[in-house]
């Protein structure tokens, strides 16, 4: 059973063959992606159908939650439908792609700042544009059917849709690894690494939707004053309780995260290098002693150097920028790529090769020579010019829809992250504790704080194995090491 229950709502808008369906069910507003034959690949029509209703739902006092789901048994969203962008580049019309990305990125920014709980049900393939519709939400549900990836390297682009803000905030540079190699994650790995906040069996999704729809909205005098960062989190805690109730209670006995602690440590060091060439050199230096380094290097060398360099630099900047600043920077980069001449444009060549002509060989011999990828090349792609601005609506390209901006996501309903464990160990978590905890106290604290969330013991073990230090304190108390 898939999440198609959303297509049988109390009321709906749009015909059954519309690419996006809007429905009301109790106190929930449900957005159902319905471009089933294309695995819900996101195009301008879909974006235009989602955006205005999403803004309307945010202001409705009788609405409690917004749910993104699918009528496809295979996919939430297989990515952005960028084939026409490449065709228009070849025709000398860079404005087409600039317009598409402007609309898509603004939709993703709206999701990142919505004042009400938004739940993405990633029940199936969730690639590229589908990741953008999901990861900026406070609630991201993975299932055993989830396949999550950022495959932009394979079409000569960069990890976009705001993910260059999200990805560098994942622990141990795992976001860099996922995006630059294009690795496909299972639902459990998506959950364990932080792409998803909850892991629920696919067969339970219809029940989840019913429960969320029946959730009574909290009493709020003026819904217009509700904000994601205002401190009024009652909405969100109630939704989290429901999702936790339906989440799996135990990991499969044979579950192991896709990277070992040793591999994560090496990955962290590799992607902490200054630029992409240094990253490649690091993996090369370790390829004789580490099968992981060798395999990762082989994957990276198959990608266009232009995409690797731009994606790497964007993620580095994304770690410093606010989310609005980063969406704007991605908008500049995407627009400047549309302007590149077709013969020098890895994006146009990659899309036409893979998505238009559907050539499936894993190697692409016509990528630009790596020698063109200088610091200036990357800087030029990330720099706004008058020509860039002419292709886009009047700046700011990313509109401030709800007056919200931030440098880290204000809510985390997923597994604990490095930064949270580090803060607890140091007593910088608001507890004002002046002594170091024991490892068992760290486990106990986060089990309690998360409601004994699925996999929390394994996650804390991974974090302490990589960053916990007890030797200095008679192997009793734990301190933090980077």
């Amino acid at each position: 059973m898939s999440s198609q229950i959303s297509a049988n709502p109390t009321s709906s808008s749009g015909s059954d063959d519309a690419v996006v369906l809007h429905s009301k069910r109790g106190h929930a507003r449900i957005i159902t992606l319905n471009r089933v034959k294309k695995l819900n690949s996101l195009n301008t029509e879909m974006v235009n159908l989602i955006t205005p209703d999403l803004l309307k739902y945010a202001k409705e006092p009788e609405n409690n939650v917004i749910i993104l789901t699918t009528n496809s048994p295979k996919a939430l969203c297989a990515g952005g439908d960028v084939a026409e962008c490449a065709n228009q580049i070849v025709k000398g019309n860079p404005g087409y792609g600039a317009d598409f990305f402007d609309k898509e990125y603004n939709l993703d920014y709206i999701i990142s700042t919505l004042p009400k709980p938004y739940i993405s049900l990633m029940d199936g393939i969730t690639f590229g544009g589908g990741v953008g519709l999901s990861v900026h939400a406070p609630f991201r549900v993975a299932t055993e059917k989830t396949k999550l990836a950022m495959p932009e390297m394979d079409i000569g682009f960069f990890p976009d849709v705001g993910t260059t803000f999200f990805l560098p905030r994942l622990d141990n540079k795992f976001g860099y690894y996922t995006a630059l190699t294009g690795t496909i994650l299972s639902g459990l790995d998506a959950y364990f690494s932080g792409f998803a906040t909850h892991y629920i069996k696919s067969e339970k999704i219809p029940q989840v939707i019913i429960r969320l729809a029946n959730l009574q909205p909290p009493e709020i005098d003026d819904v217009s004053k509700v904000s994601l960062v205002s401190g009024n989190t009652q909405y969100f805690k109630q939704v989290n309780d429901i999702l936790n109730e339906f989440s799996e209670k135990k990991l499969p006995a044979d579950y192991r995260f896709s990277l070992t602690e040793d591999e994560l440590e090496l990955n962290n060091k590799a992607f902490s290098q200054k630029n992409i060439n240094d990253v490649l050199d690091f993996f090369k230096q370790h390829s004789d002693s580490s099968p992981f380094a060798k395999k990762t290097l082989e994957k990276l060398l198959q990608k266009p150097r232009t995409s690797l360099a731009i994606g790497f630099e964007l993620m580095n900047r994304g770690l410093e920028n606010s989310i609005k600043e980063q969406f704007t920077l991605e908008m500049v980069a995407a627009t400047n790529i549309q302007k590149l001449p077709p013969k020098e444009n890895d994006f146009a060549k990659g899309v036409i090769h893979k998505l238009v002509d559907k050539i499936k060989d894993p190697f692409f011999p016509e990528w630009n020579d790596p020698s063109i990828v200088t610091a200036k090349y990357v800087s030029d792609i990330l720099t706004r010019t008058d020509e860039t601005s002419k292709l886009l609506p009047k700046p700011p390209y990313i509109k401030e829809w709800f007056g919200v901006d931030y440098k880290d996501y204000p809510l985390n309903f997923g597994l604990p992250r490095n930064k949270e464990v580090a803060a607890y160990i140091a007593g910088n978590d608001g507890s004002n504790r002046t002594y170091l905890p024991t490892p068992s106290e760290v486990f106990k604290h986060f089990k309690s704080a998360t409601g004994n969330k699925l996999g929390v013991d394994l996650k804390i073990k991974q974090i302490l194995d990589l960053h916990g230090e007890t030797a200095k304190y008679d192997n009793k108390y734990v301190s933090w090491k980077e």
Side-chain angles (χ1 to χ4, degrees):
M1 183 181 292
S2 74
S3 49
Q4 295 179 48
I5 189 169
S6 60
N8 184 28
T10 303
S11 62
S12 64
S13 61
S15 62
D16 289 344
D17 59 352
V19 292
V20 176
L21 301 176
H22 296 273
S23 57
K24 297 180 181 180
R25 189 181 188 104
H27 295 290
R29 301 297 177 262
I30 302 170
I31 300 169
T32 304
L33 304 185
N34 194 45
R35 198 181 178 207
V36 176
K37 291 181 180 178
K38 293 287 187 178
L39 296 179
N40 294 330
S41 292
L42 195 68
N43 60 14
T44 304
E45 179 186 6
M46 296 171 75
V47 172
N48 288 339
L49 287 170
I50 296 171
T51 301
D53 277 39
L54 195 59
L55 292 169
K56 180 179 72 174
Y57 298 156
K59 299 174 183 178
E60 290 179 345
E62 68 276 13
N63 168 38
N64 186 25
V65 297
I66 301 163
I67 302 170
L68 178 71
T69 185
T70 174
N71 263 348
S72 166
K74 296 181 179 180
L76 173 67
C77 173
D81 192 347
V82 294
E84 191 57 30
C85 297
N87 287 332
Q88 291 296 325
I89 289 172
V90 173
K91 293 177 182 179
N93 179 22
Y96 179 93
D99 178 70
F100 169 73
F101 291 116
D102 173 71
K103 289 181 169 64
E104 183 184 24
Y105 294 1
N106 269 282
L107 170 58
D108 295 329
Y109 182 58
I110 290 170
I111 291 168
S112 75
T113 58
L114 276 172
K116 294 184 180 179
Y118 170 102
I119 304 101
S120 176
L121 301 174
M122 302 185 293
D123 190 26
I125 295 168
T126 305
F127 286 1
V131 177
L133 293 176
S134 302
V135 294
H136 306 297
F139 302 104
R140 312 177 297 273
V141 176
T143 76
E144 75 280 7
K145 291 166 54 179
T146 299
K147 293 180 180 179
L148 187 146
M150 293 298 294
E152 286 76 12
M153 295 296 110
D154 290 338
I155 56 170
F157 205 48
F158 60 86
D160 66 332
V161 293
T163 63
T164 58
F165 182 86
F166 175 87
L167 291 162
R169 285 166 175 76
L170 295 179
D171 290 344
N172 306 310
K173 302 289 184 179
F174 187 71
Y176 286 72
Y177 168 80
T178 305
L180 299 183
T181 63
T183 297
I184 298 174
L185 303 179
S186 68
L188 275 173
D189 276 357
Y191 167 72
F192 197 78
S193 61
F195 279 95
T197 58
H198 297 79
Y199 182 80
I200 299 174
K201 286 292 182 70
S202 179
E203 63 187 17
K204 295 181 181 179
I205 293 298
Q207 297 169 265
V208 171
I209 292 173
I210 292 171
R211 280 294 305 279
L212 290 171
N214 290 332
L215 178 62
Q216 293 291 326
E219 294 292 332
I220 294 176
D221 293 334
D222 186 352
V223 72
S224 67
K225 293 182 180 179
V226 176
S227 167
L228 179 66
V229 294
S230 67
N232 187 342
T233 58
Q234 186 179 3
Y235 272 135
F236 300 89
K237 290 178 181 177
Q238 290 177 349
V239 172
N240 185 52
D241 288 343
I242 288 175
L243 295 177
N244 282 341
E245 178 185 336
F246 283 94
S247 294
E248 291 299 289
K249 307 308 178 191
K250 291 184 178 180
L251 290 169
D254 60 349
Y255 174 70
R256 300 290 182 274
F257 186 58
S258 55
L259 300 188
T260 66
E261 279 79 2
D262 287 345
E263 290 168 345
L264 282 171
E265 184 175 20
L266 190 147
N267 184 78
N268 194 17
K269 291 178 180 177
F271 287 110
S272 295
Q273 303 302 308
K274 185 170 67 172
N275 57 53
I276 194 62
N277 289 330
D278 289 347
V279 172
L280 296 171
D281 286 344
F282 184 94
F283 278 122
K284 186 176 181 180
Q285 291 166 12
H286 290 80
S287 60
D288 288 339
S289 58
S290 166
F292 167 73
K294 181 179 181 180
K295 185 176 180 180
T296 302
L297 178 63
E298 290 171 351
K299 287 182 179 179
L300 293 173
L301 291 176
Q302 291 180 21
K303 316 300 182 183
R305 193 66 53 87
T306 53
S307 295
L308 291 173
I310 293 166
F312 184 79
E313 178 62 20
L314 276 168
M315 285 188 279
N316 284 346
R317 296 197 190 186
L319 198 54
E320 304 297 327
N321 284 341
S322 74
I323 192 165
K324 183 173 182 289
E325 290 170 337
Q326 194 62 15
F327 268 114
T328 302
L329 184 60
E330 284 190 9
M331 190 69 251
V332 169
T335 302
N336 285 337
I337 286 173
Q338 306 309 297
K339 295 188 299 154
L340 295 172
K343 291 185 178 179
E344 302 169 21
N345 195 318
D346 279 338
F347 171 62
K349 290 188 290 186
V351 171
I352 290 170
H353 175 90
K354 190 176 181 76
L355 302 181
V356 178
D357 295 339
K358 299 185 185 300
I359 299 171
K360 294 185 178 181
D361 75 76
F363 297 97
F364 192 76
E366 298 178 31
W367 296 129
N368 280 314
D369 191 280
S371 63
I372 76 163
V373 185
T374 60
K376 182 179 184 306
Y377 177 91
V378 175
S379 177
D380 287 347
I381 294 294
L382 303 187
T383 299
R384 180 189 303 175
T385 65
D386 289 342
E387 191 177 355
T388 313
S389 298
K390 287 177 183 177
L391 290 171
L392 288 163
K394 186 177 180 179
Y397 309 140
I398 302 300
K399 301 175 185 177
E400 202 159 274
W401 298 97
F402 297 106
V404 173
D405 196 13
Y406 47 78
K407 288 208 166 185
D408 196 6
Y409 295 99
L411 302 170
N412 176 32
F413 292 106
L415 286 168
R417 299 169 294 184
N418 283 351
K419 62 178 292 184
E420 292 156 350
V421 177
Y424 174 74
I425 289 174
N428 296 329
D429 59 340
S431 67
N432 295 319
R433 177 172 35 78
T434 57
Y435 57 88
L436 292 170
T438 64
S440 63
E441 286 173 331
V442 178
F443 279 93
K444 182 178 179 180
H445 171 80
F446 284 101
K447 286 180 73 171
S448 174
T450 64
N452 200 20
K453 200 170 179 68
L454 174 70
V456 65
D457 277 349
L458 185 62
K459 182 66 175 180
I460 295 299
K461 180 182 183 303
Q462 181 193 76
I463 292 173
L464 293 184
D465 283 349
L466 286 166
H467 300 287
E469 177 65 73
T470 59
K472 294 180 182 177
Y473 302 97
D474 300 323
N475 296 317
K476 184 175 181 182
Y477 300 102
V478 62
S479 61
W480 184 263
K481 64 177 182 180
E482 291 298 335

